Amino acid sequence: MGKGFYISKAVAIVCVVAAVAATAIIIALSVVYSQEKSKNLEDPVATGEPVTTTPSTPKDPWQFYRLPDTLAPSSYNVTLWPRLTPNADGLYIFTGHSTVIFKCVKDTDLILIHSNKLNLTTFEGHLAKLTGLNGAPAPTLKTTWLEVPTQFLVIQVSSPLKAGNTYQLYTEFVGELADDLGGFYRSEYTEDGVKKVVATTQMQPTDARKAFPCFDEPAMKAVFHMTLIHPLDTVALSNGMNNEPINITMDGQKVKQTSFEPTEIMSTYLLAFVVSDFTYISSGPGAKVLIRIWARRKAIEEGQGDYALEKTGPILSFFENYYNSPYPLSKSDQIALPDFSAGAMENWGLITYRETALLYNPGVSSNGDKEWVATVIAHELAHMWFGNLVTTRWWNDLWLNEGFATYVSYLGADYAEPTWNMKDLIVLNEIIGVMGVDALASSHPLSSKEEDIQRPEQITQLFDSITYSKGAAVLRMLSEFITEAVFSQGLHTYLEEFKYKNTVYQDLWRHLQMAVDKAGIKLPHPLEEIMNRWILQMGLPVVTINTQTGAISQKHFLVDPDSVVDRPSEYNYEWFVPVTYIKTGAAEQQYWLVQKEATNKDMALGANDWLVANINMKGFYRVNYDDGNWERLLNKLNSQPKDIPVINRAQIIDDAFNLARARIVDVTLALRTTKFLDKEVEYMPWETTTRNLNYFYLMFDRSEVYGPMQAYIKKQVTPLFEHFRDITLNWTKIPDGHTDQYNQVNAISLACSTGVQGCRELTTKWFKEWMANPADNKINVNLKTTVYCNAIAAGGVEEWDFAWAMFKNATIASEAEKIMYALSCTRQPWLLNRYLEYCLDPDKIRKQDATATINYIADNAVGQPLAWDFIRAQWDHIFNDYGGGSMSFGRLISGVTERFSTEFDYNQLLQFKEDNADQLGSAATSFEQALERTKANINWVALNKKPVLDWFNSETSPAV
Ligand SMILES: *[C@@H]1O[C@H](CO)[C@@H](O)[C@H](O)[C@H]1NC(C)=O
Ligand SMILES: *[C@@H]1O[C@H](CO)[C@@H](O)[C@H](O)[C@H]1NC(C)=O
Ligand SMILES: *[C@@H]1O[C@H](CO)[C@@H](O)[C@H](O)[C@H]1NC(C)=O
Ligand SMILES: *[C@@H]1O[C@H](CO)[C@@H](O)[C@H](O)[C@H]1NC(C)=O
Ligand SMILES: [Zn+2]
């Protein structure tokens, strides 16, 4: 699936920064963001209920979740008729029939085929009809039933099906066209005051069986002949090209019938069908592949699909070249749906998207929104070959499919937008965040065992940030150490050998090894052995280099040094690490660290030399040095920062802060890595700094550390603010560079929050102009979140009430989202309390947004105690009225307690937990985690408060 979290990444990043701005408080969003991401990323069942009971040891084949290896489908003919208006019982339904032709591979008297939530028609008492083909006699049916727990239609026959014979199974069924975002479902929206219904699909991973009975495993590839019956004023789409519809009459209604060209041989999870009254724009005639972008009529008329259309062709050509393999289909449809659970889904030939992942509206969407569209399109198009043409055999290899698409989406987006530095941004967007997740003792390996992934819920749980982002990070590392040309050569032969078939990840290693051998590249161990250490054990190493002796060693990096790893690893948490480095003035070199400890004489330096390792963060590891080299690196950063590549300027900051968290280096060393920022204008170092300082704000923004910390950041950010003032000609134009546009947001946010001269005046002025003319909001779209937030923080009830009115009037969801956040930035307790009250009034704040809004308020240092009092006072109400899933208690508790760091906080939390022991519901584990985190915070503050305070003081007090 494509990537998708329910707030777009762009909004998340802006929010981090904006939170600093308004209230001098930031939540540790980089962490929250990765957790959010892992929770929501392409999770087709938005909240997969945990499996509560383990079934007793199964005995019969239909009690296993996997299909037996006795039958193999070759083709299906499926006809479906979705009703876009409810029936007499108020139910939206679809009807259909399906014929599957399959071959018997081993004699068997049992047919198991997936079927879930379908009501099947009976024929002579049985739920299906069986016939033999090519003269094979069909056995009579003995008994048929639906095995609900394992989602099978079970058919026992009176005499065995014979290996080598071909049979045909026919079913007729009724299903519900529910609004549950899975299988064949309905999406609703309003256009010109008219409610419209779309019938659409999301099959991955296991919901094709909700649309028609099928052998619903990725290795059960077949050809699909689809036919859809649909209302006259609608159009039907599917994986194959739609033929001209014909008019027919069904049940006395005039309807259209659209058949489709047969699909290629493909997996069920990649099927898609959509019935809508959407319209499209397309590539002109003469294009080799027909490209169409579909969306709501209004959206297409407003040109919101133009950007996607413009970029799809180039990205497809990029991948044809990269894989050295032509696009496998004759057309590429991409469609934006009003309701969609993931970000996008790579259905072969008919890619489905959430609107924000495909549509771009120049006047309204930010540059982050645009980047999102380009990367999601590239991600999905990459799957057309890798994932769709060649498919992994089972879901345990999901990391390969998704990690790969995530990695190459940055290459595709880079080709489409060469000025954006997309190949660098993968480090910020994917790698740094997942390094945080993977440094926890509770992480897990990329690769799972096939037998451990059986039930649909187990499959769904694999769609997390380890799968996507760490998968991308290790494949990028591999591509870098064997070179991109060799990597792509290996991909080419892999795709050639396995097209229309299935693989395991070892098949890819074999092809890459062949390419490596052919190119004459020397690796210290076979490629498979190198990669096993990265995919079969969790975590990542910290590499320590002593530049006095050239000693180099590795150790499992755990961000909490007190955590206990109870997951064994056959590799002892040691890795084969490609250590790239630059030392004083010399070109980049690579050293393979293949033991726990080694010596590389080339890394022993002269007294004035410096060395930086893990160039461009190509490797998935952190780096530590001897004190002397740290000093020389810091000097270099302060004197000639450009001698160190920009990604490494960000890396040095991020590694140092993380090493300090893990108590490997002193906290003041981490702080000192930010000293050169008064000369830095690039986005990546500033962004890593803001993410890392989040935690300092949380811990210290109500203590005596706050003043000196603010003074220091103000000093550092002032030149950046002035830089942007100059290059934007006094804020009258938008910076040219994509990452400069991002960094302008950082500049304004940090400058306003620390009181840099001229900043609040600016945001307040822009906001006042909007207030004077509400119909004409001239605020730059990239800056809206931070401008709203700062103006509301600096203002009073007038600003707040205006923003509230704008929130209630907003017709664009992303605009409403920005204002909803900004309303939490006020520093007036009574306004914050009133806003909290609004959170429990669904007419004011929709139930789905209540948790997020309370958490936004708690992000504000003034709002945090109010929010904590509020949820304690309202707990009964919250628990009873919002318990049914609309309020995430877990996130509420973790959000509201995020800056707890004193014994007093700890005791309050414990007391509340005990007082409400009988009504904690799904928040029980969150309370445990909050208690544990509070303890860790208490320890961290005890250890670090004094040195941090002293350091900020020494940096900001006038020199004597
Ligand atoms: C399936 O559909 C194709 C194309 O419409 C047709 O040629 C074929 O006969 C059908 N097969 C069955 C078993 O109905
Ligand atoms: C399927 O059958 C059940 C039981 O009769 C019924 O409650 C349900 O509404 C039916 N579903 C559809 C989509 O007709
Ligand atoms: C189908 O019906 C529509 C009007 O309902 C008509 O415009 C169209 O020409 C008809 N198509 C065919 C193939 O008869
Ligand atoms: C920006 O504003 C300052 C002060 O008002 C002025 O001196 C300067 O010339 C302006 N610069 C530009 C490029 O407009
Ligand atoms: Zn994907």
Side-chain angles (χ1 to χ4, degrees):
M1 250 175 284
K3 332 192 12 152
F5 358 117
Y6 74 72
I7 44 173
S8 79
K9 177 195 59 187
V11 172
I13 290 172
V14 167
C15 286
V16 182
V17 176
V20 194
T23 59
I25 292 139
I26 349 171
I27 41 168
L29 239 185
S30 50
V31 177
V32 171
Y33 161 56
S34 6
Q35 290 165 350
E36 275 307 317
K37 186 170 161 178
S38 58
K39 240 180 279 141
N40 298 296
L41 192 77
E42 313 194 345
D43 186 342
V45 189
T47 47
E49 279 296 305
V51 188
T52 43
T53 51
T54 333
S56 52
T57 318
K59 286 185 289 287
D60 294 309
W62 50 84
Q63 291 176 300
F64 291 92
Y65 284 86
R66 295 294 301 273
L67 289 167
D69 58 0
T70 47
L71 307 174
S74 58
S75 77
Y76 294 78
N77 282 25
V78 183
T79 300
L80 296 171
W81 182 15
R83 310 301 202 282
L84 303 188
T85 48
N87 66 13
D89 303 329
L91 208 60
Y92 288 84
I93 62 156
F94 63 91
T95 53
H97 54 90
S98 169
T99 303
V100 53
I101 296 175
F102 62 88
K103 192 166 177 174
C104 178
V105 181
K106 288 182 186 164
D107 289 7
T108 179
D109 58 3
L110 178 70
I111 300 171
L112 289 184
I113 184 167
H114 287 104
S115 179
N116 187 24
K117 301 199 175 154
L118 294 171
N119 290 351
L120 297 174
T121 306
T122 48
F123 306 97
E124 294 165 0
H126 296 303
L127 297 171
K129 285 199 262 194
L130 181 69
T131 37
L133 290 183
N134 310 325
T140 55
L141 303 190
K142 197 162 87 187
T143 163
T144 64
W145 75 94
L146 290 166
E147 182 71 19
V148 173
T150 48
Q151 307 179 347
F152 281 125
L153 163 60
V154 187
I155 301 168
Q156 287 179 314
V157 290
S158 48
S159 63
L161 305 173
K162 287 292 183 193
N165 284 353
T166 305
Y167 302 89
Q168 174 175 310
L169 186 77
Y170 177 79
T171 49
E172 262 178 42
F173 44 86
V174 184
E176 188 184 349
L177 194 70
D179 54 358
D180 58 358
L181 308 178
F184 201 14
Y185 72 93
R186 77 176 191 279
S187 167
E188 295 176 358
Y189 65 101
T190 307
E191 195 166 71
D192 295 333
V194 180
K195 184 177 122 177
K196 303 219 168 157
V197 175
V198 177
T200 183
T201 54
Q202 169 60 39
M203 305 307 196
Q204 194 188 27
T206 57
D207 278 336
R209 64 191 68 166
K210 269 178 80 189
F212 63 98
C214 56
F215 296 92
D216 197 11
E217 292 191 358
M220 294 290 179
K221 289 193 171 186
V223 170
F224 296 83
H225 303 262
M226 291 298 311
T227 303
L228 289 171
I229 296 167
H230 53 105
L232 293 177
D233 53 357
T234 60
V235 56
L237 298 173
S238 186
N239 305 79
M241 185 63 192
N242 43 314
N243 297 320
E244 193 55 38
I246 58 171
N247 295 335
I248 59 168
T249 302
M250 296 276 291
D251 295 354
Q253 300 174 41
K254 288 206 158 107
V255 289
K256 277 192 199 169
Q257 175 176 304
T258 300
S259 62
F260 298 86
E261 286 177 5
T263 67
E264 303 293 330
I265 298 169
M266 63 180 283
S267 306
T268 47
Y269 82 87
L270 294 167
L271 289 170
F273 11 98
V274 181
V275 171
S276 70
D277 81 340
F278 285 5
T279 185
Y280 69 97
I281 46 175
S282 70
S283 53
K288 197 165 52 152
V289 175
L290 172 68
I291 296 166
R292 296 186 293 190
I293 308 293
W294 297 83
R296 290 178 289 107
R297 288 172 175 273
K298 270 259 156 55
I300 292 293
E301 281 161 16
E302 288 170 9
Q304 295 188 36
D306 295 0
Y307 180 69
L309 182 63
E310 180 194 329
K311 294 302 172 190
T312 297
I315 294 173
L316 276 181
S317 317
F318 170 80
F319 284 123
E320 290 191 318
N321 189 42
Y322 182 70
Y323 295 126
N324 187 14
S325 170
Y327 177 69
L329 308 176
S330 66
K331 63 103 170 170
S332 168
D333 279 320
Q334 301 181 84
I335 187 165
L337 295 161
D339 294 291
F340 196 70
S341 65
M345 177 63 214
E346 70 267 22
N347 314 300
W348 214 10
L350 175 55
I351 307 175
T352 44
Y353 291 84
R354 194 178 269 230
E355 289 196 346
T356 49
L358 187 68
L359 303 181
Y360 170 70
N361 190 333
V364 181
S365 319
S366 66
N367 66 321
D369 298 333
K370 192 173 184 181
E371 180 190 310
W372 186 239
V373 171
T375 42
V376 178
I377 291 177
H379 178 113
E380 305 310 330
L381 293 179
H383 276 311
M384 299 299 111
W385 292 258
F386 200 103
N388 298 5
L389 180 62
V390 177
T391 310
T392 50
R393 192 176 68 201
W394 184 242
W395 297 107
N396 62 312
D397 279 341
L398 184 73
W399 74 271
L400 181 63
N401 193 23
E402 295 302 352
F404 180 87
T406 302
Y407 166 49
V408 301
S409 72
Y410 287 84
L411 308 184
D414 177 65
Y415 181 81
E417 295 286 0
T419 64
W420 283 3
N421 296 335
M422 291 308 298
K423 287 182 176 176
D424 293 357
L425 285 176
I426 189 174
V427 171
L428 276 184
N429 295 354
E430 312 289 340
I431 297 176
I432 283 182
V434 81
M435 276 183 166
V437 176
D438 208 24
L440 300 174
S442 59
S443 187
H444 63 87
L446 269 175
S447 182
S448 304
K449 290 207 179 71
E450 183 165 349
E451 60 268 28
D452 291 342
I453 307 300
Q454 299 271 334
R455 291 191 293 270
E457 308 81 33
Q458 292 170 324
I459 299 168
T460 301
Q461 280 167 15
L462 290 176
F463 289 83
D464 71 359
S465 66
I466 295 285
T467 292
Y468 281 80
S469 301
K470 184 181 180 181
V474 305
L475 290 169
R476 173 173 175 263
M477 174 167 68
L478 168 60
S479 175
E480 295 283 353
F481 72 69
I482 68 175
T483 73
E484 197 174 297
V486 172
F487 189 74
S488 111
Q489 172 61 26
L491 288 172
H492 169 69
T493 57
Y494 167 82
L495 293 173
E496 278 301 306
E497 178 176 346
F498 293 106
K499 59 186 170 195
Y500 307 109
K501 299 198 190 106
N502 295 81
T503 59
V504 290
Y505 69 82
Q506 290 89 342
D507 293 320
L508 179 63
W509 297 162
R510 186 161 51 78
H511 277 271
L512 291 172
Q513 183 71 58
M514 276 160 32
V516 161
D517 295 343
K518 198 166 154 219
I521 291 175
K522 293 272 172 294
L523 295 177
H525 289 279
L527 187 143
E528 173 163 8
E529 287 178 30
I530 295 173
M531 294 312 290
N532 278 349
R533 281 164 172 72
W534 296 98
I535 65 168
L536 300 181
Q537 62 185 348
M538 69 174 188
L540 70 159
V542 49
V543 169
T544 302
I545 298 170
N546 184 335
T547 61
Q548 287 181 311
T549 59
I552 176 168
S553 61
Q554 59 167 304
K555 183 169 181 287
H556 184 187
F557 179 71
L558 291 166
V559 72
D560 176 359
D562 300 327
S563 57
V564 178
V565 175
D566 46 22
R567 185 192 287 270
S569 162
E570 61 175 305
Y571 302 110
N572 263 323
Y573 292 103
E574 287 173 27
W575 288 264
F576 293 154
V577 191
V579 183
T580 50
Y581 61 100
I582 294 175
K583 54 182 193 174
T584 326
E588 179 181 333
Q589 299 176 69
Q590 183 173 286
Y591 171 79
W592 276 100
L593 178 61
V594 294
Q595 292 121 339
K596 199 166 168 48
E597 293 174 348
T599 303
N600 173 17
K601 282 293 174 205
D602 191 52
M603 287 179 172
L605 303 180
N608 296 317
D609 291 340
W610 53 272
L611 175 149
V612 61
N614 198 9
I615 302 310
N616 293 337
M617 287 190 96
K618 289 188 283 198
F620 194 68
Y621 55 91
R622 297 206 179 270
V623 190
N624 186 21
Y625 309 96
D626 59 297
D627 292 343
N629 191 59
W630 274 116
E631 292 304 323
R632 292 188 294 274
L633 268 184
L634 294 182
N635 284 338
K636 180 76 351 195
L637 281 175
N638 283 309
S639 55
Q640 285 129 334
K642 293 258 157 64
D643 284 4
I644 296 175
V646 61
I647 300 182
N648 286 89
R649 304 206 290 277
Q651 172 231 11
I652 289 169
I653 296 167
D654 200 61
D655 278 355
F657 273 90
N658 278 280
L659 293 170
R661 282 291 288 276
R663 289 183 233 143
I664 295 172
V665 302
D666 201 272
V667 69
T668 56
L669 175 73
L671 291 169
R672 289 167 66 207
T673 62
T674 65
K675 284 192 68 174
F676 78 102
L677 291 174
D678 56 1
K679 296 182 253 341
E680 180 63 84
V681 297
E682 291 286 345
Y683 169 61
M684 296 191 59
W686 274 104
E687 180 62 21
T688 28
T689 303
T690 31
R691 291 192 198 173
N692 280 298
L693 285 178
N694 289 345
Y695 187 68
F696 285 68
Y697 273 111
L698 283 178
M699 292 302 106
F700 295 135
D701 63 6
R702 293 140 304 148
S703 78
E704 67 270 32
V705 180
Y706 180 65
M709 177 161 74
Q710 286 287 83
Y712 172 71
I713 296 169
K714 177 178 177 184
K715 187 175 85 169
Q716 296 303 88
V717 79
T718 300
L720 186 71
F721 181 73
E722 289 169 352
H723 165 79
F724 278 102
R725 187 191 58 205
D726 295 346
I727 69 165
T728 60
L729 309 179
N730 286 344
W731 315 106
T732 57
K733 71 185 265 294
I734 296 170
D736 296 331
H738 179 65
T739 53
D740 292 337
Q741 292 178 25
Y742 285 149
N743 211 26
Q744 184 188 14
V745 178
N746 280 337
I748 293 183
S749 300
L750 287 170
C752 283
S753 74
T754 55
V756 171
Q757 176 78 35
C759 187
R760 282 186 196 146
E761 292 80 348
L762 193 65
T763 53
T764 301
K765 176 172 142 267
W766 288 333
F767 197 78
K768 286 259 183 267
E769 284 167 8
W770 184 32
M771 284 175 75
N773 194 352
D776 185 21
N777 183 348
K778 290 210 171 66
I779 301 168
N780 173 341
V781 287
N782 297 333
L783 302 180
K784 275 184 176 173
T785 304
T786 185
V787 169
Y788 297 170
C789 179
N790 279 294
I792 288 169
V797 64
E798 206 189 325
E799 284 76 12
W800 202 96
D801 285 347
F802 170 75
W804 176 257
M806 292 298 103
F807 171 70
K808 294 313 282 180
N809 279 344
T811 51
I812 295 169
S814 65
E815 179 70 9
E817 214 168 66
K818 291 177 176 114
I819 306 174
M820 190 174 78
Y821 165 71
L823 287 166
S824 74
C825 298
T826 177
R827 310 202 56 116
Q828 311 268 345
W830 75 275
L831 287 175
L832 288 167
N833 264 330
R834 191 176 69 177
Y835 198 23
L836 281 166
E837 299 288 344
Y838 286 4
C839 290
L840 293 189
D841 178 352
D843 293 335
K844 294 198 161 68
I845 296 289
R846 282 178 301 158
K847 282 194 170 192
Q848 64 167 30
D849 295 328
T851 307
T853 307
I854 296 172
N855 281 344
Y856 288 153
I857 294 170
D859 293 343
N860 176 334
V862 180
Q864 191 274 331
L866 306 176
W868 173 230
D869 287 348
F870 178 78
I871 67 159
R872 283 187 294 175
Q874 299 287 341
W875 189 254
D876 287 350
H877 182 169
I878 292 175
F879 192 83
N880 293 325
D881 281 21
Y882 284 75
S886 51
M887 176 93 70
S888 164
F889 288 126
R891 274 193 289 144
L892 193 61
I893 295 306
S894 61
V896 171
T897 62
E898 197 144 36
R899 48 162 63 77
F900 278 16
S901 54
T902 63
E903 290 295 340
F904 180 74
D905 294 333
Y906 186 87
N907 291 332
Q908 279 201 338
L909 188 57
L910 195 61
Q911 184 68 47
F912 182 62
K913 182 180 153 237
E914 279 163 8
D915 292 349
N916 291 280
D918 55 338
Q919 50 174 3
L920 295 175
S922 59
T925 45
S926 302
F927 272 99
E928 289 309 325
Q929 287 165 356
L931 285 165
E932 199 182 320
R933 204 180 42 211
T934 305
K935 268 269 182 285
N937 290 345
I938 293 171
N939 293 339
W940 189 87
V941 170
L943 196 68
N944 292 294
K945 186 168 176 182
K946 172 111 181 27
V948 167
L949 176 63
D950 290 349
W951 190 84
F952 281 127
N953 271 329
S954 70
E955 286 302 311
T956 52
S957 47
V960 276

